């Protein structure tokens, strides 16, 4: 349900229905709104008024806002320092006050302050409630969205943990897709919503998967939240992707400038410029190769007794989880590089999706991983 400030003036709302198998949404735009109408529509689509079992509120703060935009803030700080040193030195050298360089930064600070104040009020209204069979999420100040979804229609969950924090984002992928027209034709977009600044993000993913799968009571959820290690899933198999595939592609890309530079060294007499370029290029090669290895080694694919997980990320740690009963089918795939290096890929499709929701790539023991997951998928209650 979508309502903006104009809708509140005229007592209207837009009802948007997501559907499995439909290429577009069904929209009732700016219809006369009442709480009875909204309640009756929710009941018709199988979203009754259940008892609340758990809730999540966004916990926004200044420090968490910096952590959630870690790279952007770091870039802004570096640009500001460069501006102060460059512009300040220039002004001082021409007889002006060094402090004049801070004037543009004051305007930037004012804009930043206004955005921060808006976010304080925005995230104070961002909350999610889990009922016995359904979930509810609301967000917005002047343009408000109210999401209602059955547990059966939540396909997977992705968490993102902010750097140096226990807060993060929680994204819910909902069954059903929409075909969106783009400049290059059409693309398929999955339905989803994200609640940001969620506290204790390392615990939330497993807790919510447990809610979707087992439908615990409010008391059981609190016990799980307070002692998550007692309710943690049992790990059946864990795999780290092979570094050979991405490293091979990275080396191929790096060879192009290296060969060009080598040709220039052979054809042109040695000079300080060429030596500097060669040194810089060597540093780039080392950095790129190191990042490929580190980023690949930070990926993990895990099969538990009730779900399959993918974890990745260095600063922003991410995880996607799919419980077995949401899986529609599995598939294995091997391209040229996979056959060359003796590994393979596995794809996971969920109900109502035309494309994989999870791709497990470059696994050395991909066939064993596939069989382990297929066994869990086949033995789930969904089957």
């Amino acid at each position: 349900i979508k309502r903006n400030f104009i809708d509140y003036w005229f007592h209207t709302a837009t009802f948007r229905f997501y559907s499995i198998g439909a290429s577009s949404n069904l929209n009732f735009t700016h219809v006369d709104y009442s709480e009875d109408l909204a309640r009756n529509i929710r009941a018709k689509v199988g979203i009754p008024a259940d008892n609340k079992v758990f809730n999540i509120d966004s916990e926004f703060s200044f420090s968490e806002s910096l952590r959630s935009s870690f790279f952007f803030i770091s870039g802004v700080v570096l640009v500001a320092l460069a501006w102060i040193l460059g512009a300040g030195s220039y002004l001082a050298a021409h007889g002006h006050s060094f402090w004049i360089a801070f004037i543009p930064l004051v305007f930037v600070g004012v804009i930043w302050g206004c955005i921060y104040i808006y976010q304080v009020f925005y995230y104070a209204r961002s909350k999610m409630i889990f009922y016995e069979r359904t979930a509810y999420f609301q967000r917005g100040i002047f343009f408000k969205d109210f999401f209602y979804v059955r547990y059966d229609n939540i396909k997977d969950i992705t968490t993102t943990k902010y750097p140096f924090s226990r807060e993060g984002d929680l994204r819910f992928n909902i069954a059903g897709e929409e075909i969106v027209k783009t400049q290059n034709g059409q693309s398929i977009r999955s339905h989803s919503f994200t609640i940001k600044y969620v506290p204790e993000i390392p615990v939330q993913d497993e807790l919510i998967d447990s809610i979707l799968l087992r439908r615990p009571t409010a008391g059981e959820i609190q016990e799980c939240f307070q002692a998550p290690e007692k309710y943690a899933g049992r790990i059946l198999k864990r795999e780290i992707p092979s570094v050979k595939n991405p490293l091979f592609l990275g080396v191929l890309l790096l060879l192009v400038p290296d060969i060009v530079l080598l040709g220039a060294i052979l054809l042109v007499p040695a000079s300080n410029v060429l030596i500097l370029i060669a040194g810089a290029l060597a540093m780039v090669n080392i950095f790129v190769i190191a990042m490929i290895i580190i980023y690949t080694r930070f990926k993990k694919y895990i099969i538990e007794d009730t779900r399959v997980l993918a974890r990745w990320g260095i600063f922003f740690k991410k995880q996607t989880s799919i419980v077995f009963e949401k899986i529609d089918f599995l598939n294995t795939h091997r391209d040229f590089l996979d056959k060359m290096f003796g590994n393979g890929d596995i794809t996971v499709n969920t109900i109502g999706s035309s494309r994989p929701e999870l791709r497990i790539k470059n696994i050395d023991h991909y066939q064993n991983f596939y069989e382990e997951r297929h066994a869990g998928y086949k033995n789930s209650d969904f089957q």
Side-chain angles (χ1 to χ4, degrees):
I1 300 175
K2 302 177 73 67
R3 303 191 75 190
N4 56 38
F5 59 94
I6 299 177
D7 288 315
Y8 280 97
W9 289 344
F10 296 104
H11 304 288
T12 59
T14 295
F15 292 83
R16 177 172 295 171
F17 300 87
Y18 298 160
S19 176
I20 299 175
S23 61
S24 61
N25 302 322
L26 178 63
N27 297 321
F28 294 174
T29 306
H30 304 313
V31 299
D32 290 335
Y33 178 84
S34 69
E35 290 297 332
D36 288 338
L37 174 63
R39 185 165 48 250
N40 291 337
I41 290 178
R42 293 197 299 268
K44 284 292 184 181
V45 298
I47 302 178
D50 287 337
N51 295 320
K52 184 176 78 171
V53 296
F54 186 61
N55 70 281
I56 300 174
D57 296 335
S58 295
E59 295 188 1
F60 177 79
S61 65
F62 180 74
S63 60
E64 293 300 335
S65 69
L66 297 180
R67 295 186 180 103
S68 68
S69 305
F70 177 73
F71 292 115
F72 175 75
I73 298 299
S74 300
V76 170
V77 170
L78 290 175
V79 171
L81 290 175
W83 167 262
I84 291 172
L85 293 175
S89 300
Y90 176 83
L91 291 170
H94 288 76
H96 302 287
S97 174
F98 177 87
W99 301 105
I100 296 177
F102 283 85
I103 293 177
L105 299 182
V106 172
F107 290 103
V108 173
V110 170
I111 295 173
W112 194 348
C114 293
I115 294 174
Y116 173 76
I117 293 172
Y118 173 81
Q119 289 179 315
V120 169
F121 288 98
Y122 180 92
Y123 289 110
R125 291 160 174 78
S126 174
K127 58 186 61 182
M128 187 167 185
I129 301 175
F130 294 88
Y131 296 96
E132 292 174 341
R133 290 170 289 176
T134 60
Y136 163 78
F137 172 59
Q138 71 172 50
R139 66 185 179 195
I141 301 177
F142 304 107
F143 298 86
K144 296 184 178 182
D145 295 324
F146 307 91
F147 293 85
Y148 301 86
V149 58
R150 293 180 296 182
Y151 289 162
D152 293 338
N153 289 335
I154 297 177
K155 298 188 294 185
D156 61 76
I157 301 168
T158 298
T159 60
T160 303
K161 190 173 80 71
Y162 305 146
F164 320 111
S165 172
R166 291 186 64 83
E167 285 197 10
D169 300 341
L170 191 55
R171 178 182 181 272
F172 292 82
N173 191 17
I174 305 169
E177 298 172 332
E178 181 183 8
I179 296 178
V180 181
K181 293 183 178 180
T182 64
Q183 294 180 347
N184 299 322
Q186 294 180 337
S187 65
I188 298 175
R189 181 176 63 190
S190 297
H191 298 305
S192 66
F193 61 81
T194 301
I195 177 170
K196 298 175 68 67
Y197 299 102
V198 175
E200 294 300 323
I201 202 69
V203 181
Q204 296 287 5
D205 184 273
E206 186 159 353
L207 175 61
I208 293 169
D209 275 341
S210 180
I211 293 174
L212 301 180
L213 188 63
R214 299 188 177 93
R215 315 292 168 88
T217 64
E220 291 171 337
I221 292 173
Q222 287 303 317
E223 290 180 6
C224 181
F225 192 80
Q226 293 170 3
E229 65 282 353
K230 293 174 58 177
Y231 300 90
R234 182 167 57 92
I235 296 177
L236 304 179
K237 201 167 189 62
R238 187 197 306 264
E239 288 282 349
I240 297 175
S242 172
V243 75
K244 291 176 286 189
N245 303 53
L247 193 60
F248 177 78
L249 293 174
V251 170
L252 280 182
L253 291 175
L254 291 172
L255 279 177
V256 176
D258 290 344
I259 292 173
V260 172
L261 180 62
L262 180 61
I265 292 174
L266 294 175
L267 297 174
V268 179
S271 65
N272 292 334
V273 174
L274 280 179
I275 294 173
L276 288 174
I277 294 175
L281 191 56
M283 295 297 294
V284 170
N285 290 344
I286 294 172
F287 176 78
V288 170
I289 291 173
M291 289 306 299
I292 290 173
I293 295 173
I294 293 171
Y295 183 77
T296 303
R297 289 305 181 185
F298 266 83
K299 288 183 179 179
K300 293 184 179 66
Y301 301 116
I302 302 169
I303 300 176
E304 293 184 353
D305 50 354
T306 59
R307 59 181 185 162
V308 60
L309 312 170
R311 293 174 179 163
W312 70 99
I314 300 174
F315 293 97
F316 289 86
K317 297 184 180 298
K318 297 190 176 185
Q319 173 179 297
T320 294
S321 64
I322 304 176
V323 296
F324 288 141
E325 71 169 23
K326 305 295 183 181
I327 296 176
D328 192 15
F329 65 90
L330 310 173
N331 194 16
T332 59
H333 172 73
R334 301 184 76 193
D335 57 22
F336 174 75
L337 288 182
D338 294 326
K339 294 177 181 179
M340 180 187 298
F341 296 116
N343 50 48
D345 303 341
I346 304 171
T347 57
V348 182
N349 284 67
T350 58
I351 301 169
S353 294
S354 60
R355 57 185 178 180
E357 298 297 338
L358 183 61
R359 296 179 183 271
I360 299 176
K361 304 187 67 176
N362 308 329
I363 297 295
D364 285 331
H365 308 100
Y366 76 100
Q367 197 63 42
N368 292 337
F369 196 88
Y370 169 82
E371 291 172 357
E372 185 74 49
R373 190 169 57 175
H374 193 267
Y377 155 65
K378 282 294 185 181
N379 293 329
S380 67
D381 292 338
F382 175 73
Q383 295 295 320

